[in-house]
Amino acid sequence: MQSSGTPLAGVRVVEVALGAGAVAAGPAGSLPGALLRDLGAEVTRVRPSRRSTLDAGVEYERAWDRGKESVELGDDPDAAVRLVTELAAAADVLVLSGGEDSLERRGVRYSALAQANPRLIVSRIRPAFHALGEIPDIELLVQARAGLLTQIRAHRGGPAFGDPAVAGLGAALSATVGALALLYEREATGAGGWAETSLYDGLQAILPMIIGSVEHHSPSTRLLWQQQGPAEALSYRCADGEYLQLWFGAKGAYEQFLEHIGDPPSERGYNADLISGAMVERGRRWAATFATRDRDRWLESLAGHQFRCEPVWRPGEALRDGHVREIGLAVDREDPDLGPVTMLGPVLRVQRAAEASARPGAAGTRLLSDVRVLDLSAYLAGPVAPLILAELGADVVKVEPRTGDAHRAMQPMFAAGQRGKRALALDLKAPGAAEVLRRLFRDSDVVHHNSRVGAAERLGYDEAAVRAANPAAVYSFASGFGEQGPRALLPANDQLMQALAGIEAGQGGHGQPPTYLVWGAIDVTGGWLAACGIIAGLYARRRDGGGHVVRSSLLGAALTMKSGAFLAGDRVLGGPVLDAGQTGYGAAYRLYRGGDDAWFALAIPDRPAWERLRAVVTSADLPAAPPPLRTESGEPQPEEVVLEQIFATKDAEWWVSALRAATVPVEPVPDADRSAFAGGFVDDPVNRRLGRVTGYRWDDLGRVSQPSFPPRLGPAPQPRARAGIPGLGEHTRDVLRETGFDDAEIEELIGNATVAAPTPLPPT
């Protein structure tokens, strides 16, 4: 079978979204189909004709569902089940989201569907369970239950409403990875399978950098697993009221900026000033300086240096940018109702790059257990993708400098992307490195990196070098800004991308300064997207043959987090607007404070729930229907003011109890510090029983606990990544032996400083 140029050509996907709607579930119900569509699949979108009242006036689905065939279900639940069952019988992949009442309890379950279609893959996004019980598939309530709302630095005291739908995003990405991994396995076995995830699992998928516990803290684990990260966010208001974002990640950038701005030099350096809080005082001085000029003048003044500066845009505004358009992340469409629109284009490109025969899977292999990955990546965005592959059974060899990866000292970041791998320490500039790399390329199914554009060519792991040794490899390059365009050569990081994609501005709230989320969420999203592309490439290679190249970018990952935002002509349709107090999007979807100053989250997805709310707050003057969410102004709605006054008359606990008794969706917001937030995941007995937690010992930190990555897959037992963080060069000798070096050659490579390896222990 010859490929049509897209890895999922001929794959039929049915996406059934019966959840609480686009706002409440975020991208969970729509993004899997969008990603699979962009990889070449034919996607049929099935949704109820009755929409959530939260979605009134919100246009997310226009962006998410473009290019899908749309089918609407009527009010007859039995007819809906028959339609879904009929579509599943002819599908390769069925993505299901919604409650069990709508699906499993009406017979829509993997075991029944597989009888009619044994090759069917079912990727299920379902309500999650936690030690406190079931969690509804509503983004706000999941974030509240998990304690995430207290992990945002609000402009006022107390928790802040979380604007990015990180739970829905993580659920969508893990559901997509599950579907792709099972497609890859099906080419070997001929049988389908199931993948399962949830919005709650989605938080663990996107936030591994801030979820962890240790016996003995270090400065870096204290900063991110006990505290909320650096206090100075490095975003500043200019004379015209617009904001810009700084970043000093490149070597020498901080020192260069201090000289450029006329600030005293640092005695201890960037990381020490950041961790100690010394940068806060500098930030006050810089704020006064930036307030003296308009943003465009500052951007011009600060361009061309080692330090980086980008504008803080609102959601959707990046689609106007020339670079974004040039690299294909902004595409023009014709909408039947809105006319010309500009939407996010494909964030993954997977192409056949070399001729090679198809590779049927070995008998008895499960998921990616026959795949070897060479991981040449660094920081966080790069290493997450190979870790996801390791969680699916792949053997991942991590290559780092002989002196160690620069982020071994930033332990939460290192742990979030590097556990579960084998470690080889190699000096890429040493004379013997080229032969070591050649053999590693030869024996690897996947070669992945996220270096700056041009670095791989200088250091010998560019695509041409890999292809010369192994034409059938899947070569994955996760760049910062893409491989072409005016920003291509610039360094990039999570924080700059938050600024460009509208995440900081959206989280800041109407008329307020931007809010930086110290979560590493864009980095990790980039890893998930690269993993999707890599598995799609492996699937296409197994089915059709050929080597493949996977291209992704951190900029694409950032825009994916706001992928529902788009342009209609010159108008930005960015979705709901967070108010200045960072409490929510409107009366029906926000945080409220009780009379005891404790907070709770209220989510009203439809008119019946609003009527039940009115029955509880009988003295409130509320309309018969819930007001639509804010999409233009951030001004308070009259209904919000009424409810704020009513809820202030009793303690939050009283209101939560009364509203739950009336089956109104509500969650208390715990007052959790970072340790309590992390502990809520890693210490939860349900999470431990379901395998959502991995534990190991790590040097002086002692016992470490972290979340595992979703999804869970079946029906056969699922392989998992090995527990633990590999030591520097821990597996150098083993990996080199596997590539054909004998012991004498290995000792020579160690002796001439090409590789590093710990001294073997004497036999006991």
Side-chain angles (χ1 to χ4, degrees):
M1 177 178 179
Q2 291 299 312
S3 171
S4 69
T6 57
L8 300 190
V11 173
R12 294 160 297 180
V13 176
V14 176
E15 183 180 57
V16 180
L18 303 181
V23 171
S30 295
L31 186 59
L35 292 171
L36 297 174
R37 170 205 65 203
D38 288 346
L39 291 168
E42 304 164 11
V43 181
T44 299
R45 166 81 168 168
V46 181
R47 61 188 181 187
S49 56
R50 292 191 182 186
R51 309 293 171 80
S52 168
T53 52
L54 292 173
D55 293 341
V58 178
E59 304 286 359
Y60 286 159
E61 289 178 306
R62 287 187 188 271
W64 290 335
D65 294 343
R66 62 171 176 79
K68 303 175 185 176
E69 181 184 351
S70 183
V71 176
E72 289 199 345
L73 300 175
D75 292 333
D76 181 349
D78 293 330
V81 167
R82 287 195 297 272
L83 176 59
V84 171
T85 302
E86 179 183 329
L87 290 170
D92 295 290
V93 176
L94 177 65
V95 182
L96 288 175
S97 60
E100 293 183 358
D101 286 343
S102 313
L103 296 167
E104 281 82 3
R105 290 176 189 143
R106 295 186 177 276
V108 181
R109 60 173 65 90
Y110 171 74
S111 58
L113 297 171
Q115 289 183 4
N117 182 359
R119 289 175 57 82
L120 180 67
I121 291 159
V122 177
S123 192
R124 178 72 166 102
I125 302 171
R126 68 189 320 146
F129 286 88
H130 173 282
L132 297 178
E134 184 175 331
I135 311 174
D137 269 346
I138 296 177
E139 179 83 28
L140 174 59
L141 302 188
V142 171
Q143 290 193 20
R145 172 77 66 86
L148 184 64
L149 305 180
T150 59
Q151 309 309 305
I152 303 168
R153 287 200 175 100
H155 302 313
R156 48 159 176 77
F161 181 98
D163 180 67
V166 288
L169 177 67
L173 291 168
S174 55
T176 307
V177 159
L180 289 165
L182 290 167
L183 277 172
Y184 176 75
E185 181 182 75
R186 192 183 72 174
E187 284 301 302
T189 65
W194 56 261
E196 181 178 290
T197 188
S198 69
L199 265 68
Y200 179 70
D201 290 327
L203 285 181
Q204 300 194 159
I206 300 297
L207 305 177
M209 191 179 80
I210 64 168
I211 304 174
S213 66
V214 295
E215 279 186 276
H216 313 295
H217 275 291
S218 69
S220 67
T221 63
R222 190 171 294 111
L223 180 70
L224 288 173
W225 287 352
Q226 191 177 59
Q227 301 166 356
Q228 289 194 6
E232 178 53 44
L234 303 177
S235 58
Y236 302 101
R237 189 176 190 269
C238 301
D240 55 358
E242 301 292 348
Y243 286 82
L244 55 76
Q245 178 68 59
L246 297 174
W247 179 56
F248 306 129
K251 185 177 181 181
Y254 184 45
E255 292 75 14
Q256 191 182 85
F257 175 78
L258 296 180
E259 181 179 357
H260 184 84
I261 207 78
D263 215 38
S266 170
E267 295 181 2
R268 297 185 297 170
Y270 173 55
N271 285 330
D273 282 1
L274 200 66
I275 292 173
S276 69
M279 203 173 290
V280 173
E281 180 57 37
R282 291 185 184 273
R284 294 191 186 100
R285 295 195 296 270
W286 299 345
T289 300
F290 282 112
T292 63
R293 295 187 197 174
D294 290 354
R295 182 171 69 186
D296 286 347
R297 291 188 62 194
W298 278 116
L299 291 173
E300 182 180 353
S301 169
L302 299 175
H305 298 280
Q306 285 289 91
F307 53 84
R308 294 282 293 108
C309 178
E310 292 287 359
V312 177
W313 283 330
R314 296 166 186 84
E317 289 183 341
L319 298 175
R320 294 171 172 156
D321 181 65
H323 175 86
V324 174
R325 297 184 67 85
E326 182 174 335
I327 65 173
L329 289 177
V331 294
D332 296 327
R333 308 279 180 187
E334 189 70 24
D335 184 270
D337 302 314
L338 300 176
V341 297
T342 303
M343 295 177 171
L344 179 64
V347 296
L348 279 174
R349 299 188 184 275
V350 182
Q351 297 171 306
R352 186 182 177 116
E355 292 301 318
S357 59
R359 295 195 170 192
T365 57
R366 177 78 171 112
L367 299 172
L368 305 188
S369 58
D370 62 346
V371 172
R372 172 170 284 188
V373 180
L374 186 64
D375 179 9
L376 289 151
S377 63
Y379 303 103
L380 179 58
V384 164
L387 174 51
I388 292 166
L389 305 181
E391 291 274 41
L392 296 168
D395 173 23
V396 179
V397 175
K398 157 71 177 176
V399 176
E400 61 184 312
R402 291 178 64 256
T403 53
D405 187 294
H407 283 80
R408 277 190 177 270
M410 183 55 75
Q411 288 147 324
M413 180 185 289
F414 198 78
Q418 304 292 7
R419 63 179 174 80
K421 304 176 183 181
R422 296 196 291 164
L424 182 150
L426 171 65
D427 180 358
L428 293 172
K429 298 179 181 179
E435 178 60 17
V436 173
L437 283 176
R438 187 191 70 78
R439 296 197 196 186
L440 291 170
F441 298 155
R442 180 197 64 196
D443 295 342
S444 297
D445 300 286
V446 176
V447 178
H448 170 74
H449 74 92
N450 66 323
S451 305
R452 294 267 295 276
V453 171
E457 286 77 5
R458 293 192 302 273
L459 295 172
Y461 52 89
D462 57 298
E463 186 184 359
V466 173
R467 293 262 172 258
N470 183 356
V474 174
Y475 182 83
S476 170
F477 179 20
S479 63
F481 285 100
E483 296 174 61
Q484 289 85 35
R487 286 189 173 92
L489 298 179
L490 299 176
N493 86 321
D494 185 292
Q495 193 168 6
L496 292 177
M497 298 305 180
Q498 285 192 40
L500 291 171
I503 294 163
E504 288 186 341
Q507 183 59 64
H510 178 68
Q512 293 291 329
T515 295
Y516 169 46
L517 298 168
V518 192
W519 298 345
I522 293 175
D523 281 340
V524 177
T525 298
W528 279 97
L529 288 170
C532 288
I534 291 167
I535 303 170
L538 288 168
Y539 165 73
R541 185 181 76 158
R542 176 174 272 186
R543 184 187 67 178
D544 304 328
H548 288 74
V549 60
V550 179
R551 293 184 171 91
S552 59
S553 68
L554 200 58
L555 180 57
L559 294 175
T560 298
M561 290 190 73
K562 286 293 183 182
S563 55
F566 63 95
L567 306 176
D570 292 331
R571 191 162 59 104
V572 177
L573 299 181
V577 176
L578 186 59
D579 65 318
Q582 295 177 301
T583 62
Y585 295 151
Y589 199 68
R590 59 159 283 179
L591 306 180
Y592 287 99
R593 182 158 45 184
D596 57 350
D597 282 340
W599 294 78
F600 59 94
L602 184 69
I604 308 296
D606 51 37
R607 184 162 179 162
W610 181 260
E611 291 171 353
R612 296 193 296 273
L613 168 70
R614 293 177 68 215
V616 174
V617 292
T618 53
S619 60
D621 183 16
L622 295 174
L629 302 183
R630 288 182 289 267
T631 56
E632 300 292 339
S633 168
E635 297 302 316
Q637 297 175 334
E639 297 85 353
E640 287 182 279
V641 176
V642 170
L643 287 172
E644 283 178 344
Q645 293 171 348
I646 290 291
F647 290 142
T649 62
K650 291 185 174 69
D651 290 353
E653 184 178 359
W654 190 94
W655 286 114
V656 169
S657 178
L659 291 166
R660 280 180 169 169
T663 65
V664 175
V666 64
E667 278 288 335
V669 178
D671 185 14
D673 60 13
R674 181 59 59 82
S675 293
F677 165 71
F681 288 93
V682 299
D683 297 332
D684 183 279
V686 174
N687 287 350
R688 289 186 173 274
R689 186 170 71 249
L690 293 177
R692 290 172 175 155
V693 180
T694 184
Y696 51 89
R697 299 196 70 82
W698 187 12
D699 299 337
D700 294 339
L701 298 179
R703 188 71 181 170
V704 178
S705 294
Q706 281 185 276
S708 300
F709 280 144
R712 291 172 293 283
L713 298 106
Q718 178 179 347
R720 280 290 188 186
R722 62 184 72 208
I725 302 292
L728 176 60
E730 179 179 344
H731 305 98
T732 295
R733 286 186 171 86
D734 292 342
V735 172
L736 292 179
R737 287 191 190 101
E738 291 164 10
T739 61
F741 289 99
D742 61 32
D743 288 347
E745 291 172 315
I746 292 171
E747 293 308 316
E748 182 180 353
L749 289 169
I750 294 171
N752 66 23
T754 297
V755 301
T759 303
L761 295 174
T764 56

